[in-house]
Every structure is written in C-alpha cells, then in structure tokens.
Amino acid sequence: MTDAAIATPTQATTKYRKDYQPPTHLVDTLELEFDLAEEHTRVRSRMTLRENPARSDAGGELVLDGEALELVSVTVDGEKISDDRYQVGEETLTLTGLPTECVLEIEVVIEPQENTCFEGLYRSGPMFLTQCEAEGFRRITYFLDRPCVMARYTTTIRAERAAYPVLLSNGNLVDSGEDSDGRHWARWEDPFPKPSYLFALVAGDLHLHPGSFTTASGREVELRIYVEHLHADKCEHAMKCVMSAMRWDEETFGLEYDLDLYMIAATDKFNMGAMENKGLNIFNSALVLARPDTATDSDYERIEGVIGHEYFHNWTGNRVTCMDWFQLTLKEGLTVFRDQQFTADMTSHAVKRISDVRMLRAFQFPQDAGPMAHPIRPESYQEMSNFYTSTVYDKGAEVIRMYHTLLGAEGFRKGMDLYFERHDGSAVTCDDFRAAMGDANERDLLQFERWYLQAGTPVLEVEDSYDSETKRRTFTFTQSTPPTPGQDEKLPLHIPIVFGLIGPDGCDLPLRLVGEETAQGTTRTIELFEATQSVTFEDVPEGCVPSYLRGFSAPVELRCERTHGEYAFAMANDSDSFNRWEAGQQFAMELLVGMVEAIGRGEEPVLDPIFIEAWGVVLLDQELDPSLVSLALALPVEPYLSERFEVLDPGHVHEALEAAIVQLAEAHAEALREVRARCSTGEPYSADRESIGRRRLANLCLSYLSKLGEAGDLAACVAQFEGADNMTDSVAALACLSDVAGPEREGAFTSFYERWKDESLVVDKWFSQQAASDLPDTVERLVELVKHPDFTLKNPNRARSVLGVFGMGNAHHFHRVDGAGYRFLTDHLIEMDSLNPQVASRFITPLLKWKSLEPVRRELMRAELERIAAKDDLSKDVREKVSKALA
Ligand SMILES: [Zn+2]
C-alpha cells in the first residue's frame, strides 16, 4: 500500500494535444462495488470491454491508469490470470493477451481516511465522498481514466448503517437492503454513459433538504440537498437557485433535466468550488450554505452562479463531454458563459458584466502576461490540475461570448441546437463546437480558431481622423498580441468591435458606413480580421465621442488617445452602461499610472480635480442602480494597474491607490456620509436587489470614510459592526476596523470569533479579514495567527482564508520590501505541498511573476522560488509552475 500523499511521482512528463490517440478499448458497462470501512475500503469493479475498432494496433494489450492502489486480484471472463499477463507500474496496470471482447474484474484496497490530497475517495467530517475530475478516478480503481471512454455505471455501496445511513451515487436508486452485523447497502444505476471523471459517491450521516421541480414537458424531478445536520437551516437559498437554474435553461436553451432525481451534497473539505457529477453534484459548503446572519450578499450571489454553473453542465459537459483534457474550455468556457447569462438575467446585466470584467482583469490578464500563459485550449501540460485556470474558464467564456456577439442570440441558439443534435452522448472537441456554430449560421469561422491557439491578451490600438469638409470620420484599428512563452509570433484574430458614436448632444448617432444608402442603427459590430483595418462613417458632425467595445465585446486591451474632457463626457453620456463605467476606469487608470510615476520621481501623487469632480457626480446620482454606482466608485483593481508597468514597484502602486482613495474621501467626506445615511435605512434585513444595492453602496462609502482616520467614522464602523443584523454589514465593518490598530479592532475580532467559532465558514471570514489587513505588522501578526488552534492546512477553505487571501489579495504586505511576505507564503506552501499539491499549486501564483519586479524584490522572490524548487519530493503540480517561472 502506498501512502496517498506521497504517491505522486516527481518525474515530470509533458503531454501534448497533438499526441491524442483514441483509446485501445471501449468499456460498455462498469459495475462498481464499494465496501466502506474505517481502516480500508475494498473496491471491486467489473467492466465489459471490447477492442476499439478505431485502433487496430491494440494487439490484446490494455494499459489502465491507477495511483495509490493496492491490487488484490484480476480476472478475465471469470478466470484468475497468471502473473505474467499483468504488470503493476507506478501509475499503471498493464494487461496482455486479452481477447477482443471480455469481462475484466479487478479488486483493489484503498485508504480514503489517509487521503489528504482530496482527489479520488476521501473523508470529510462525517462522510466519505469523491472528487474525480480531472484524474481522480484512478485513485479509486484501475480504469481507462480519460474523458473519451464513456460507460454505463452501476454502483453498489456497503457501509455500517449507524454511521453512514445515507449512501448515494449517480443516477437512480434501484435497490437497497440490509447485511448482517449492522451494515446496509444501496445500488445506483446511471442510464447515461459517462466518463469516469463524472463518477460520484457520498456516504454519511447527513441532513436531507427536499424540493421538487416540474419540467416544461411535465415530468416531476425530485430535488435533494444533503448537508451536515448543523447546517439544516442554511439550504433554502441553494434550493431556490436549483429551481431557477432549471427553469432558465428550459426557457433560454430548451434544455430539460434528464433524470428523475437531482442531488447536491455539501462538504467543508473540497479543493475546488463544486463538481457537476451526473445527478449528484458535490459542492464546497461555502457555495451552498447561506443564512442572512452567516453569509454575505456576495456569498448569496456566488451560490446562485455556481449552482447554475454545475446544473448547466448537465448538458454542456455531461451529455456532450470533452474528447481529452486539452478541450476543457469546451465545457468550462461555455458553461461559465451560460452561468454569467443566468446571473445577469436574475440580477442586472450591467452589474454582472462589469463585475466579470473586473475579475478577468484581476486574474486572467496577469496570467496571460506571466510564465504560465497558455491558450484557452492548451497545447501541453505536465499536471492537468494546473490548467483549471482563469484563462480556460473566464477567457474561454469571453470567446463564447464573441460567438454570441457575432451571431446574435438567435444565431447562437441555432448553433447550440445543432451542437446537441450532432454530438449528444459523445466526447468532442472545441473545433466541433466552432463547426456547429458556423454551420448553423452559414458563417466561416475559420480564423476564429486562433482564439483557441494563441495565448496573451491582444492589444487593440485605434487612430481616427476627421474630414470636416465631407463630414467623414475614419477609424483605423491595429491589433497585436504580445509574445508569450513558446509563442513569439502571433497572427491577427477575428475580433468583434461593438461600436457607437456619441453626438455632442450626448445622444447616439445613427451610423452609416461609406457606400451605404441609409444609416443602420446606432450600435454596430465591426468585424476585425486584419492586423490593420479601417472603417469610415458618413454624416458625422464635429465633436462626437467614439464608444469602442461596448459591453466589452472582446477580451482585449484597448489603447486610444482621449482627453480628460472626453472621459468625463463618456462617463456621463455613453448609452452603454458598461462603457460608462469603463470610461471612468480608463480615466482612473491613466491618472493612477501618472501618480505611480510621480512617486517614482519622489513627487507627491495628486489626483486630477476633473476626476474628483466627476466621481462626486456619480456618487450623488440617485437615478442609477446603487450597485452600479458602487462599481463606478471603485478604483481599478491593483493587479490590473500593476500590469501597466514594465518594471513594477508594488509599493508605489499601493501608495498611489491609497493616495487616490484618501483624496477622493477628503473631497467628498460629507457626501459620503450623506449617501451612507440615505442607504442605511435601518429597516430589517431583506435580500431583494434594491436592498443589496443599498448595502453595497453604504459599505463602499464606509470603506472610503474609514481611510480618513476621523473618530466619528471609526465610531460609525463600530456601531455598524455591533448593530448589524446580517453578515454583509457585519463583515464590511470588520474589514474597515481591520486596518485600524487599537482597542476597537481587537474588540471586534474577539467578539466576532466568540460569536461564530462553531460556524466554520464564518471563521474562514474571521481569518481572511486578518490576512487582508493593512496594519504595518500584518506579516508578524499572521505568523502568530497560523498558530491559532482553528488554523489547519488540512482544510482547503481554511488554508485559502489565510494563504490565498494574503498572496492574492494583500499585495502591499505580500510584497513587503524585506521579503517577509514572500517568506511567510513560501514556508506554508512547502508544507501544503506535502498534504495537498493541487491547492498548494494555486497558492504559488503570486510568486511566479518575479521577473517584472524591481531589482530588490525580484531577487527576494526568486530566492523563495528556488527554495521551493529545492524541496525533496516536490509535487508535479508545483514543480511545473516553479520550473516555468524560473526558466
Ligand atoms: Zn465547470
């Protein structure tokens, strides 16, 4: 028996997309039998196998994947086979001399209670559960663990009845019974063929929260959410989200649920957010459990998005799956796009779009400019887990959104219909999706493939010229994509530019291209194919302001010359709410870059008065949705701003942002207090959109005010913290107090902990607010904090609440100039790597971009990377990233 935690070999091998070969064998049915016990678990599998007609070279040899398994026996057609016909390797079981069709039975023993990497079968609190995507099934039994091998599963689970009354797997429960000595069993059958990564098992003593849904065609579906008993009162929101997701997919895409039962089980220990296993989704409890006093408005919204996401996978991912893991974006990009549209329909399109673009710029743009840059469909990987990235998911969703923009909602739907008509029940590629979109709309999308082939964020430059005689205005677009590791030369992309012209009166101009008889609308999509391309419009009066990339129609960086007056004009007048917000962001970016440069020259950073004034106008605009106002008042995120510098001094970037915040707060202190008072109605908590928007804006005002250091504002924080009847207000006040040393801060953290110490997810918030703190001795405080009895690296959420938040969300202290922040993260990352490589590998992200830093920090960060590289038995997850960063 090999210990699960050290079974991962450190020898890195690279897999390439071009090397794909169909499997040598196909599996029609797989029967699994689990005997769950505290010491070890016995897994018997029985598969009906046949040689794949697409592979004539199999020659009776079959190589199965397997890791950390103890092999007990192998039989073929009921006969034990001799030792010389099978060979156990470190990650394989090779069988020879197989007939072209046979029944293969394998028995193995595993130790799920010792599994700390949380891939395969493992324990979490009162339950056993599984996580198989991408390659976890091979830690359960030997199998062709690849997504293109799809089989019908029957799963029998046996366990002690008292400790594990609930026994679940995919599909429908077909039989159950009692064994002797207090054990019982349940048999589940999944009628839909599926790849092994969608297998799931849950066994434990769990509370059932029931629900039901009637599909559009009138079928009754039973809904069940399983949680630990103490969370029985936190399931209602998630249940509502399941129902609205089911309804939305019927209405938007005509897609109905296909089984009689849909289950969700929540666990505190989970590496990812959630997993779409057929009929039995497994969720990180942070994305299921919510009660107004324990979860924030953002938690509520995230839960809705992720519940939708996993549910939507039932069609985009499960019914049509990926041929190999390089195609991951086929299911993830598409499903993220679907969950974004769902949330937008449930809340506000503008708010959702802006929030998503902020995230894209905070995480994906930096990734595209770093050592791990890869196309949305990677060409190679060493460890697949490393490619569950913002690029594959979020940029992938942007690429899907561009089909939607180019083809229109109706054309996109036609493409989706054709995609399902052609591929339901099979494992396909991103090219198949693109072909369905193109064929259904009779469009040539050949050049569009480059979005799947090239890494890096494209830069789009615009120049325009105006002829006052002819009243013609010409826009010349030039695109280029910077080099990324392994890709020096890039080809021009097919880019949809949704475009408008705002007239001097603030209204959109009807747009007529040269050669057209009449104007055709006020917003038009310009399709860019060439490296440089021009368009000319007729009848354009003087003084129009162009509006490029409305709704952020392509994931590119726009470069165009604008005066401060034009920015302010667009902030007030653009008919596209995204671009109204964007004008403010780009204006702020330009000013902040100037302030960072001023700091570098030893000058005072001063914010432009035009911006301060325009900001104040937005603050007081009572016509706008308060959620939109709060997004408009937030300055660009630190990672996005940092990308603008070839040589980055993170200290200067932070100083500039802080200075801008203080100057805005000083200029508008009274207005901020007023708006906050207007938005804090004092009414009891309600979760409607209006109230959420008001809380968001009130808390944004509070966070600006808390930077002024005034006793009155501090008292307001304390009062809000003590009087809040909901977690949103409570944690927002705590976040403000967290940056202010003194008895108020200590008192708040102590009482928060005392009140919530039995609620693990709330304790995570307690840790993360400290990890995000801006006190001068934050690193020293964190060194002490991780000695707290509630801190453990064995719970991924808890580890993330300190190490993830510190590395990704506290740039100021992470980049401390003496290297203490780098050292702190590295110490724990090394420890984490031995327990849970997948999660450790996520924590390393902020340490990778050392080459762009100023010389002092550059050397300090590189030294930490080398310390990680020198670790014995470093996981291949972390090794892949470290070696690419140091290359
Ligand atoms: Zn997904």
Side-chain angles (χ1 to χ4, degrees), residues 92-261:
T92 52
L93 170 64
T94 305
L95 299 150
T96 48
L98 290 180
T100 49
E101 285 183 28
C102 65
V103 174
L104 175 63
E105 288 173 90
I106 297 173
E107 183 173 332
V108 299
V109 168
I110 54 179
E111 292 188 336
Q113 72 282 1
E114 303 295 329
N115 179 347
T116 62
C117 68
F118 304 158
E119 295 169 69
L121 180 66
Y122 66 97
R123 268 210 83 122
S124 164
M127 64 177 127
F128 283 108
L129 73 154
T130 54
Q131 169 56 30
C132 295
E133 187 177 2
E135 297 180 332
F137 192 76
R138 63 190 62 187
R139 291 172 166 270
I140 293 174
T141 187
Y142 287 105
F143 195 65
L144 282 164
D145 189 15
R146 45 191 293 187
C148 57
V149 174
M150 297 170 85
R152 279 196 183 76
Y153 283 59
T154 305
T155 306
T156 306
I157 311 163
R158 287 169 201 280
E160 193 194 314
R161 176 179 271 287
Y164 308 100
V166 175
L167 304 174
L168 311 173
S169 190
N170 315 86
N172 302 311
L173 181 68
V174 290
D175 204 359
S176 62
E178 302 292 324
D179 281 340
S180 55
D181 60 20
R183 292 172 73 78
H184 70 144
W185 59 274
R187 181 165 302 134
W188 293 81
E189 210 174 78
D190 184 354
F192 293 95
K194 66 167 176 286
S196 50
Y197 83 88
L198 290 173
F199 170 76
L201 175 156
V202 170
D205 183 3
L206 300 168
H207 166 78
L208 162 63
H209 185 95
S212 71
F213 182 81
T214 311
T215 67
S217 65
R219 227 160 27 78
E220 283 297 316
V221 179
E222 188 187 344
L223 309 176
R224 297 183 191 168
I225 297 179
Y226 287 97
V227 297
E228 291 185 29
H229 289 283
L230 77 156
H231 299 311
D233 59 348
K234 302 190 195 83
C235 302
E236 197 45 49
H237 175 64
M239 183 57 86
K240 277 190 197 147
C241 296
V242 173
M243 295 176 193
S244 42
M246 287 179 140
R247 184 66 68 218
W248 184 87
D249 217 13
E250 290 179 346
E251 287 170 357
T252 315
F253 288 106
L255 298 172
E256 265 189 35
Y257 187 61
D258 52 8
L259 287 165
D260 300 331
L261 178 62

Side-chain angles (χ1 to χ4, degrees), residues 133 274-276 306 309-310 313 316 328 331-333 335-336 339 388 393:
E133 187 177 2
M275 179 62 211
E276 69 264 22
V306 178
H309 180 94
E310 306 309 332
H313 266 315
T316 49
L328 180 61
K331 77 176 178 78
E332 293 305 341
T335 306
V336 170
D339 84 54
Y388 283 73
Y393 278 63

Side-chain angles (χ1 to χ4, degrees), residues 336-572:
V336 170
F337 172 72
R338 274 150 57 68
D339 84 54
Q340 289 175 347
Q341 295 294 88
F342 166 61
T343 301
D345 284 348
M346 297 294 127
T347 56
S348 145
H349 279 255
V351 170
K352 178 62 179 156
R353 188 69 189 127
I354 293 167
S355 312
D356 288 338
V357 173
R358 265 178 86 84
M359 295 293 279
L360 188 78
R361 286 171 172 167
F363 297 104
Q364 201 279 322
F365 280 22
Q367 184 170 67
D368 242 348
M372 282 294 289
H374 53 276
I376 64 168
R377 180 177 61 187
E379 296 294 336
S380 68
Y381 62 80
Q382 290 170 13
E383 171 52 57
M384 186 52 213
S385 304
N386 282 338
F387 289 83
Y388 283 73
T389 59
S390 181
T391 298
V392 168
Y393 278 63
D394 304 323
K395 186 176 181 181
E398 293 299 321
V399 170
I400 300 293
R401 183 176 295 275
M402 288 191 283
Y403 288 107
H404 194 270
T405 303
L406 288 167
L407 306 173
E410 237 172 86
F412 187 80
R413 172 68 195 269
K414 274 200 265 175
M416 288 287 277
D417 290 348
L418 184 60
Y419 175 64
F420 290 120
E421 192 185 311
R422 284 180 177 172
H423 303 299
D424 187 12
S426 44
V428 303
T429 67
C430 300
D431 296 326
D432 294 318
F433 182 83
R434 190 165 47 85
M437 283 288 153
D439 294 350
N441 292 281
E442 293 174 2
R443 283 288 306 260
D444 174 1
L445 294 173
L446 200 62
Q447 189 176 340
F448 200 76
E449 187 191 10
R450 290 176 190 164
W451 282 106
Y452 292 88
L453 296 170
Q454 297 184 169
T457 304
V459 176
L460 183 64
E461 285 170 277
V462 197
E463 279 180 25
D464 73 290
S465 62
Y466 182 62
D467 184 337
S468 53
E469 293 280 294
T470 58
K471 298 218 172 297
R472 282 182 173 175
R473 192 155 167 182
T474 299
F475 297 89
T476 303
F477 297 96
T478 303
Q479 58 162 312
S480 61
T481 305
T484 47
Q487 283 188 336
D488 293 336
E489 301 293 329
K490 308 288 168 96
L491 296 168
L493 296 156
H494 180 181
I495 301 176
I497 303 168
V498 177
F499 179 86
L501 271 173
I502 316 164
D505 59 352
C507 295
D508 274 1
L509 210 69
L511 297 175
R512 180 159 80 92
L513 283 168
V514 164
E516 286 176 350
E517 297 271 313
T518 53
Q520 297 176 13
T522 53
T523 295
R524 299 185 56 161
T525 303
I526 299 165
E527 296 189 29
L528 187 63
F529 295 96
E530 310 293 330
T532 298
Q533 204 172 310
S534 297
V535 286
T536 302
F537 292 99
E538 305 263 27
D539 312 324
V540 181
E542 219 154 327
C544 288
V545 174
S547 173
Y548 308 107
L549 297 167
R550 285 187 158 168
F552 201 61
S553 61
V556 301
E557 259 302 272
L558 179 73
R559 298 264 187 272
C560 65
E561 293 279 325
R562 289 221 156 158
T563 65
H564 291 185
E566 283 171 335
Y567 279 127
F569 182 77
M571 281 169 80

Side-chain angles (χ1 to χ4, degrees), residues 37 296 415 419 486 499 504 511 625 641 822 838 843 883:
T296 63
Y419 175 64
F499 179 86
L511 297 175
D625 172 356
L641 178 58
Y822 305 154
Q838 230 179 54
F843 292 159
S883 56

Side-chain angles (χ1 to χ4, degrees), residues 31 94 110 126 210 216 343 362 380 396-397 413 450 476 513 529 577 622 625 628 676 691 714 737 745 756 818 881:
E31 290 164 51
T94 305
I110 54 179
T343 301
S380 68
R413 172 68 195 269
R450 290 176 190 164
T476 303
L513 283 168
F529 295 96
S577 27
Q622 294 200 37
D625 172 356
L628 266 183
R676 176 168 178 264
S691 312
L714 183 63
L737 291 169
R745 178 188 198 276
W756 296 115
D818 63 356
K881 289 190 180 176

